[in-house]
Amino acid sequence: MKQHCVIYANCQGRGLAEALKLSAAFLRGYVVTVISNWDTQTFPYEALEDCALFLYQPTRERGQLPGTDQLLRQLPTGCQALSFPYMYFKAFWPFHVRSPHHNTGPFYPSERHYYADTML
């Protein structure tokens, strides 16, 4: 029977999930759920009920989203938790500037970043 892996991260969590799915051994052992740590309205706590592997980018509590310290306390006994860093590679956006369109309304948090580039 497959175990449940929960990834709690920004957009990089989806990339991590896809990379893990390249491993046949990982696919045999886990089913993956990716939960966004920046655009989710409320955290789906039911995803943690049978979680065996919790991969996360550390966060603080924000509105309806819990901080990872709180989530770690709610993991089932025996669940392995591993944090991974927020990755930033400026080479893709060498002329990176603050976007004048960073606040797009209530559907996106104001800290959402659009990777504006002066050359684009």
Side-chain angles (χ1 to χ4, degrees):
M1 181 172 182
K2 290 186 178 187
Q3 295 182 305
H4 192 192
C5 170
V6 174
I7 299 174
Y8 186 54
N10 63 13
C11 58
Q12 296 163 353
R14 295 210 182 280
L16 175 60
E18 292 305 312
L20 289 171
K21 290 176 184 178
L22 295 174
S23 165
F26 185 85
L27 278 179
R28 279 191 301 276
Y30 292 96
V31 61
V32 179
T33 299
V34 179
I35 301 170
S36 170
N37 68 7
W38 63 276
D39 72 348
T40 303
Q41 298 299 316
T42 58
F43 187 86
Y45 287 97
E46 63 277 4
L48 298 181
E49 290 174 3
D50 64 345
C51 183
L53 178 60
F54 184 66
L55 305 174
Y56 67 97
Q57 291 173 313
T59 61
R60 291 186 293 241
E61 183 178 332
R62 291 185 329 217
Q64 297 296 319
L65 291 178
T68 49
D69 287 343
Q70 178 184 349
L71 294 175
L72 292 171
R73 289 191 297 270
Q74 296 192 16
L75 293 175
T77 303
C79 177
Q80 288 188 290
L82 299 168
S83 68
F84 65 98
Y86 290 85
M87 295 164 269
Y88 179 74
F89 184 51
K90 194 170 179 172
F92 287 133
W93 304 99
F95 305 102
H96 180 212
V97 297
R98 180 178 285 282
S99 172
H101 308 289
H102 70 282
N103 189 354
T104 60
F107 295 108
Y108 298 103
S110 61
E111 69 269 11
R112 182 169 179 168
H113 191 76
Y114 285 95
Y115 299 98
D117 187 284
T118 55
M119 300 304 283
L120 297 176

Coordinates of all heavy atoms in Angstrom, one line a residue, residues 78-119:
G78 N 5.4 9.2 13.6 CA 6.2 8.4 12.7 C 6.3 9.1 11.3 O 7.1 8.6 10.5
C79 N 5.6 10.2 11.1 CA 5.8 10.9 9.8 C 7.2 11.6 9.8 O 7.6 12.2 10.7 CB 4.7 12.0 9.7 SG 4.8 13.0 8.3
Q80 N 7.8 11.4 8.7 CA 9.1 12.1 8.5 C 8.9 13.5 7.9 O 8.1 13.6 7.0 CB 10.0 11.3 7.5 CG 10.6 10.1 8.1 CD 11.6 9.5 7.2 OE1 11.3 9.0 6.1 NE2 12.9 9.5 7.6
A81 N 9.5 14.5 8.4 CA 9.4 15.9 8.0 C 10.8 16.4 7.5 O 11.7 16.3 8.3 CB 8.8 16.8 9.0
L82 N 10.8 16.9 6.3 CA 12.1 17.5 5.8 C 11.8 18.8 5.2 O 10.9 19.0 4.4 CB 12.7 16.5 4.7 CG 13.0 15.1 5.2 CD1 13.3 14.3 4.0 CD2 14.2 15.2 6.1
S83 N 12.6 19.8 5.6 CA 12.4 21.1 5.0 C 13.4 21.3 3.8 O 14.4 20.6 3.8 CB 12.7 22.2 6.0 OG 14.0 22.3 6.4
F84 N 13.0 22.1 2.9 CA 13.9 22.4 1.8 C 13.8 23.9 1.5 O 12.8 24.6 1.8 CB 13.6 21.6 0.5 CG 12.3 21.9 -0.2 CD1 12.2 22.7 -1.2 CD2 11.1 21.2 0.3 CE1 10.9 22.9 -1.9 CE2 9.9 21.4 -0.3 CZ 9.8 22.3 -1.4
P85 N 14.9 24.5 1.0 CA 15.0 26.0 0.9 C 14.2 26.5 -0.3 O 13.8 25.8 -1.2 CB 16.5 26.2 0.6 CG 16.9 25.0 -0.1 CD 16.1 23.9 0.5
Y86 N 13.9 27.8 -0.2 CA 13.3 28.6 -1.3 C 14.5 28.8 -2.3 O 15.5 29.3 -1.9 CB 12.8 29.9 -0.8 CG 11.5 29.8 0.0 CD1 11.6 29.5 1.4 CD2 10.3 29.9 -0.6 CE1 10.5 29.4 2.1 CE2 9.1 29.7 0.2 CZ 9.2 29.5 1.6 OH 8.1 29.4 2.3
M87 N 14.3 28.4 -3.5 CA 15.4 28.5 -4.5 C 15.2 29.8 -5.3 O 14.1 30.1 -5.8 CB 15.4 27.3 -5.3 CG 15.8 26.0 -4.5 SD 15.4 24.5 -5.4 CE 13.8 24.2 -4.8
Y88 N 16.3 30.5 -5.5 CA 16.2 31.7 -6.3 C 17.5 31.7 -7.2 O 18.6 31.6 -6.7 CB 16.3 32.9 -5.3 CG 16.2 34.2 -6.1 CD1 15.1 34.7 -6.7 CD2 17.4 35.0 -6.2 CE1 15.0 35.9 -7.3 CE2 17.4 36.2 -6.8 CZ 16.2 36.7 -7.4 OH 16.2 37.8 -8.1
F89 N 17.2 31.9 -8.5 CA 18.3 31.9 -9.4 C 18.1 33.1 -10.3 O 17.4 33.1 -11.3 CB 18.2 30.6 -10.2 CG 19.4 30.4 -11.2 CD1 20.7 30.5 -10.8 CD2 19.1 30.0 -12.5 CE1 21.7 30.3 -11.7 CE2 20.1 29.9 -13.4 CZ 21.4 30.0 -13.0
K90 N 18.9 34.1 -10.0 CA 18.7 35.4 -10.7 C 19.1 35.4 -12.2 O 18.8 36.2 -13.0 CB 19.4 36.5 -10.0 CG 19.0 37.9 -10.4 CD 19.5 39.0 -9.5 CE 19.1 40.3 -10.1 NZ 19.4 41.4 -9.2
A91 N 19.9 34.4 -12.6 CA 20.4 34.3 -13.9 C 19.3 34.3 -15.0 O 19.4 34.8 -16.1 CB 21.3 33.1 -14.1
F92 N 18.1 33.7 -14.6 CA 17.0 33.7 -15.5 C 16.4 35.1 -15.7 O 15.7 35.4 -16.7 CB 15.9 32.8 -15.0 CG 16.2 31.3 -15.2 CD1 16.0 30.4 -14.1 CD2 16.8 30.8 -16.3 CE1 16.3 29.1 -14.2 CE2 17.1 29.5 -16.5 CZ 16.9 28.6 -15.4
W93 N 16.5 35.9 -14.7 CA 15.9 37.3 -14.7 C 17.0 38.3 -14.3 O 17.0 38.9 -13.3 CB 14.8 37.4 -13.7 CG 13.7 36.3 -14.0 CD1 13.5 35.2 -13.4 CD2 12.7 36.4 -15.0 NE1 12.5 34.5 -13.9 CE2 12.0 35.2 -14.9 CE3 12.4 37.3 -16.0 CZ2 10.9 34.9 -15.8 CZ3 11.3 37.0 -16.8 CH2 10.6 35.9 -16.7
P94 N 18.0 38.5 -15.2 CA 19.1 39.4 -14.8 C 18.7 40.9 -14.6 O 19.4 41.6 -13.9 CB 20.1 39.3 -16.0 CG 19.2 38.9 -17.2 CD 18.1 38.0 -16.6
F95 N 17.6 41.3 -15.1 CA 17.2 42.7 -15.0 C 15.9 42.7 -14.1 O 15.0 43.5 -14.3 CB 16.9 43.3 -16.3 CG 18.1 43.2 -17.3 CD1 18.1 42.2 -18.3 CD2 19.2 44.0 -17.1 CE1 19.2 42.1 -19.1 CE2 20.3 43.9 -17.9 CZ 20.3 42.9 -18.9
H96 N 15.9 41.9 -13.1 CA 14.8 41.7 -12.2 C 14.5 43.0 -11.4 O 15.4 43.6 -10.8 CB 15.2 40.6 -11.2 CG 14.2 40.3 -10.2 ND1 14.5 39.9 -9.0 CD2 12.8 40.3 -10.3 CE1 13.4 39.7 -8.3 NE2 12.4 39.9 -9.1
V97 N 13.3 43.4 -11.5 CA 12.9 44.7 -10.8 C 11.5 44.4 -10.1 O 10.8 43.4 -10.4 CB 12.7 45.9 -11.7 CG1 14.0 46.2 -12.4 CG2 11.7 45.6 -12.8
R98 N 11.2 45.3 -9.2 CA 9.9 45.1 -8.5 C 8.8 45.4 -9.5 O 8.8 46.5 -10.2 CB 9.8 46.1 -7.3 CG 8.4 46.0 -6.6 CD 8.3 46.9 -5.4 NE 9.1 46.4 -4.3 CZ 8.7 45.4 -3.5 NH1 7.5 44.8 -3.7 NH2 9.4 45.0 -2.5
S99 N 7.8 44.6 -9.6 CA 6.7 44.8 -10.6 C 5.7 45.9 -10.1 O 5.3 45.9 -8.9 CB 5.9 43.5 -10.7 OG 4.7 43.7 -11.5
P100 N 5.3 46.8 -10.9 CA 4.3 47.8 -10.5 C 2.9 47.1 -10.4 O 2.0 47.8 -9.9 CB 4.3 48.8 -11.6 CG 4.8 48.0 -12.8 CD 5.7 47.0 -12.3
H101 N 2.8 45.9 -10.8 CA 1.5 45.2 -10.8 C 1.5 44.1 -9.7 O 0.8 43.1 -9.9 CB 1.2 44.5 -12.1 CG 1.3 45.5 -13.3 ND1 0.5 46.5 -13.5 CD2 2.3 45.6 -14.2 CE1 0.8 47.2 -14.5 NE2 2.0 46.7 -15.0
H102 N 2.2 44.3 -8.6 CA 2.3 43.3 -7.6 C 1.0 43.0 -6.8 O 0.8 42.0 -6.2 CB 3.4 43.6 -6.6 CG 3.2 44.7 -5.7 ND1 3.3 46.0 -6.1 CD2 2.8 44.7 -4.4 CE1 3.0 46.8 -5.1 NE2 2.7 46.1 -4.1
N103 N 0.1 44.0 -6.7 CA -1.2 43.8 -6.0 C -2.3 43.6 -7.0 O -2.7 44.6 -7.6 CB -1.5 44.9 -5.1 CG -2.6 44.6 -4.2 OD1 -3.3 43.6 -4.3 ND2 -2.9 45.5 -3.2
T104 N -2.8 42.4 -7.2 CA -3.8 42.1 -8.3 C -5.2 41.9 -7.7 O -6.0 41.4 -8.4 CB -3.4 40.9 -9.1 OG1 -3.3 39.8 -8.2 CG2 -2.1 41.1 -9.8
G105 N -5.4 42.2 -6.4 CA -6.7 42.1 -5.8 C -6.8 41.0 -4.8 O -5.8 40.4 -4.5
P106 N -8.0 40.6 -4.4 CA -8.1 39.7 -3.3 C -7.8 38.3 -3.6 O -7.6 37.5 -2.7 CB -9.6 39.9 -2.9 CG -10.3 40.3 -4.2 CD -9.2 41.2 -4.9
F107 N -7.7 37.9 -4.9 CA -7.5 36.5 -5.2 C -6.0 36.1 -5.1 O -5.7 35.0 -5.0 CB -8.0 36.2 -6.6 CG -9.5 36.3 -6.7 CD1 -10.1 37.4 -7.4 CD2 -10.3 35.4 -6.1 CE1 -11.4 37.5 -7.4 CE2 -11.7 35.5 -6.1 CZ -12.3 36.6 -6.8
Y108 N -5.1 37.1 -5.1 CA -3.7 36.8 -4.9 C -3.2 37.7 -3.8 O -3.5 38.9 -3.7 CB -2.9 37.2 -6.2 CG -3.4 36.4 -7.4 CD1 -4.2 36.9 -8.3 CD2 -3.0 35.1 -7.5 CE1 -4.6 36.1 -9.4 CE2 -3.4 34.3 -8.6 CZ -4.2 34.9 -9.5 OH -4.6 34.1 -10.6
P109 N -2.3 37.1 -2.9 CA -1.8 37.9 -1.8 C -0.9 39.0 -2.4 O -0.3 38.9 -3.4 CB -1.0 36.9 -1.0 CG -0.8 35.7 -1.9 CD -1.9 35.7 -2.9
S110 N -0.8 40.1 -1.7 CA 0.0 41.2 -2.2 C 1.5 40.9 -2.3 O 2.2 41.6 -3.0 CB -0.2 42.5 -1.3 OG 0.2 42.2 0.0
E111 N 2.0 39.9 -1.6 CA 3.4 39.6 -1.7 C 3.6 38.7 -3.0 O 4.8 38.3 -3.2 CB 3.9 38.9 -0.5 CG 3.4 37.5 -0.2 CD 2.1 37.5 0.6 OE1 1.5 38.5 0.9 OE2 1.8 36.4 1.1
R112 N 2.6 38.4 -3.7 CA 2.9 37.6 -4.9 C 3.8 38.3 -5.8 O 3.7 39.5 -6.0 CB 1.6 37.3 -5.7 CG 1.8 36.4 -6.9 CD 0.5 35.9 -7.5 NE 0.9 35.1 -8.6 CZ 0.1 34.3 -9.2 NH1 -1.1 34.2 -8.8 NH2 0.5 33.6 -10.3
H113 N 4.8 37.6 -6.4 CA 5.8 38.3 -7.2 C 5.7 37.8 -8.6 O 5.7 36.6 -8.9 CB 7.2 37.9 -6.6 CG 8.3 38.7 -7.1 ND1 8.5 40.0 -6.7 CD2 9.2 38.4 -8.0 CE1 9.5 40.5 -7.4 NE2 9.9 39.5 -8.2
Y114 N 5.7 38.7 -9.5 CA 5.6 38.4 -10.9 C 6.9 38.4 -11.7 O 6.8 38.2 -12.9 CB 4.6 39.4 -11.6 CG 3.2 39.1 -11.2 CD1 2.6 39.7 -10.1 CD2 2.5 38.1 -11.8 CE1 1.4 39.4 -9.7 CE2 1.2 37.8 -11.4 CZ 0.6 38.4 -10.4 OH -0.6 38.1 -9.9
Y115 N 8.0 38.5 -11.1 CA 9.3 38.4 -11.8 C 9.3 39.4 -13.0 O 9.7 39.0 -14.1 CB 9.6 37.0 -12.2 CG 9.7 36.1 -11.1 CD1 8.6 35.3 -10.7 CD2 10.8 36.1 -10.3 CE1 8.7 34.5 -9.6 CE2 10.9 35.3 -9.1 CZ 9.8 34.5 -8.8 OH 9.9 33.7 -7.7
A116 N 9.0 40.6 -12.7 CA 9.1 41.6 -13.7 C 10.6 41.8 -14.2 O 11.5 41.6 -13.4 CB 8.6 43.0 -13.2
D117 N 10.7 42.1 -15.4 CA 12.1 42.2 -16.0 C 12.1 43.5 -16.9 O 11.2 43.6 -17.7 CB 12.4 41.0 -16.8 CG 13.8 40.9 -17.2 OD1 14.2 41.6 -18.2 OD2 14.6 40.2 -16.6
T118 N 13.1 44.4 -16.7 CA 13.1 45.6 -17.4 C 13.2 45.4 -18.9 O 12.8 46.2 -19.7 CB 14.2 46.5 -17.0 OG1 15.4 45.8 -17.0 CG2 14.0 47.0 -15.6
M119 N 13.9 44.3 -19.3 CA 14.1 44.0 -20.7 C 12.8 43.4 -21.4 O 12.7 43.4 -22.6 CB 15.3 43.0 -20.9 CG 16.6 43.6 -20.4 SD 17.0 45.2 -21.1 CE 17.6 44.7 -22.7

